[in-house]
Amino acid sequence: MGRGRVELKRIENKINRQVTFSKRRNGLLKKAYELSVLCDAEVGLIIFSSRDKLYEFGSVGVMKTLERYQRCCFNPQDNNNERETQSWYQEVSKLKAKFESLQRTQRHLLGEDLGPLSVKELHNLEKQLEGALTQARQRKTQIMIEQMEELRRKERELGDMNKHLKIKVSHELSTFDNEGQSYRAQLPCPWNSPGHNTTFPMQSNAMECQQEPILQMGYNQFVHGEGSSVQRNMIGESSIHGSWVL
């Protein structure tokens, strides 16, 4: 016959109770260890006997398991803040490491702190500098070409503007000459009359046309050109108050 089901209740016999405690304690500790190994679980076990003796087991340490238990169960908000703080701390650490690496690379490109570098690292640095120099020269050439094209465009614009101004000035001069000729043709001067000799200079004819009578005290002394038929008033030919003026 099979063994019957044992009723779970406190063992009254002190000796039997102690023996049962020892057997089942060892079995429980064994099961906890097997669970942590087989399932890769974090297991923590604490046992207090009736005589206040402590028995414990922790796969990663009982104190660490208790701290984790407290963070997860009693202070969830603090746990979230701690996780967020830890995440930010890791991010800051990564950025700081990257910043230091960039600073170190910049110093190497400037020719500083080259002592710790090996031959291979110096060769790679030389390649980087040559590549950067090539790109800088290409960019400089491109900018110079663009500036030359811009100057040529401005030169063409100024040339077109100059041609336009020349045509405009020529048109204005021709218009001014035509108006001057029309105006001279309308003047009532002797050279406009038929039969007038136009071989005389324009300036003298204009002066003759513009002469007007002048009131003058004393005597007039007219001087004509050589070969003129008009007599010249000589000194002493006119008298004032009946006496000759020398």
Side-chain angles (χ1 to χ4, degrees):
M1 294 180 63
R3 184 178 178 183
R5 184 175 182 181
V6 179
E7 183 181 1
L8 293 177
K9 64 177 183 179
R10 182 176 181 273
I11 301 175
E12 298 296 335
N13 190 341
K14 185 176 181 181
I15 297 174
N16 293 337
R17 187 169 63 241
Q18 185 64 32
V19 172
T20 303
F21 174 77
S22 298
K23 292 181 179 180
R24 296 205 176 222
R25 181 199 63 197
N26 293 333
L28 182 60
L29 293 174
K30 183 179 179 181
K31 292 293 184 182
Y33 171 75
E34 292 176 354
L35 179 63
S36 63
V37 173
L38 294 175
C39 301
D40 193 19
E42 182 178 351
V43 180
L45 178 62
I46 299 175
I47 302 173
F48 285 98
S49 67
S50 58
R51 296 181 181 180
D52 294 332
K53 289 184 179 182
L54 174 63
Y55 304 91
E56 63 180 13
F57 169 79
S59 57
V60 295
V62 178
M63 295 302 299
K64 291 184 178 180
T65 304
L66 289 176
E67 291 177 359
R68 185 176 180 181
Y69 175 75
Q70 291 177 355
R71 288 196 303 267
C72 294
C73 297
F74 295 99
N75 297 318
Q77 187 67 28
D78 295 340
N79 185 26
N80 294 333
N81 293 334
E82 185 177 356
R83 289 180 180 179
E84 186 176 359
T85 303
Q86 186 177 4
S87 176
W88 281 110
Y89 178 77
Q90 293 177 356
E91 187 69 19
V92 169
S93 301
K94 292 179 181 179
L95 292 176
K96 185 177 180 180
K98 188 175 181 180
F99 176 72
E100 292 177 354
S101 176
L102 291 175
Q103 280 188 332
R104 184 167 54 254
T105 303
Q106 183 180 8
R107 289 195 299 269
H108 291 166
L109 292 175
L110 293 175
E112 300 175 357
D113 298 339
L114 299 179
L117 298 181
S118 62
V119 177
K120 185 176 180 180
E121 292 175 346
L122 290 173
H123 184 65
N124 294 331
L125 181 62
E126 184 179 2
K127 286 185 177 180
Q128 292 179 1
L129 291 173
E130 290 178 354
L133 182 60
T134 302
Q135 293 180 359
R137 288 175 177 174
Q138 292 178 355
R139 179 57 182 167
K140 183 183 71 174
T141 304
Q142 181 181 0
I143 293 175
M144 293 178 65
I145 292 174
E146 292 176 355
Q147 290 179 354
M148 291 176 61
E149 292 294 334
E150 182 68 18
L151 292 175
R152 289 174 181 174
R153 184 184 63 81
K154 291 182 178 180
E155 183 182 3
R156 289 193 297 269
E157 291 180 356
L158 292 175
D160 296 339
M161 187 181 297
N162 190 15
K163 291 180 180 179
H164 179 71
L165 291 175
K166 284 183 178 180
I167 295 172
K168 187 175 180 180
V169 170
S170 299
H171 179 70
E172 293 291 338
L173 290 176
S174 61
T175 304
F176 180 76
D177 292 340
N178 294 331
E179 292 178 356
Q181 292 178 1
S182 301
Y183 178 74
R184 287 194 298 270
Q186 295 175 3
L187 290 176
C189 294
W191 58 78
N192 291 331
S193 61
H196 181 73
N197 188 6
T198 60
T199 59
F200 295 99
M202 183 76 66
Q203 185 176 2
S204 62
N205 293 334
M207 291 176 64
E208 291 177 0
C209 293
Q210 295 178 0
Q211 289 180 358
E212 295 180 358
I214 300 175
L215 179 61
Q216 183 175 353
M217 301 299 293
Y219 63 93
N220 295 325
Q221 183 177 357
F222 297 94
V223 179
H224 295 273
E226 295 181 359
S228 175
S229 59
V230 182
Q231 296 181 357
R232 178 179 179 183
N233 294 333
M234 302 300 295
I235 300 175
E237 292 182 356
S238 61
S239 61
I240 301 175
H241 301 289
S243 62
W244 294 95
V245 179
L246 298 178

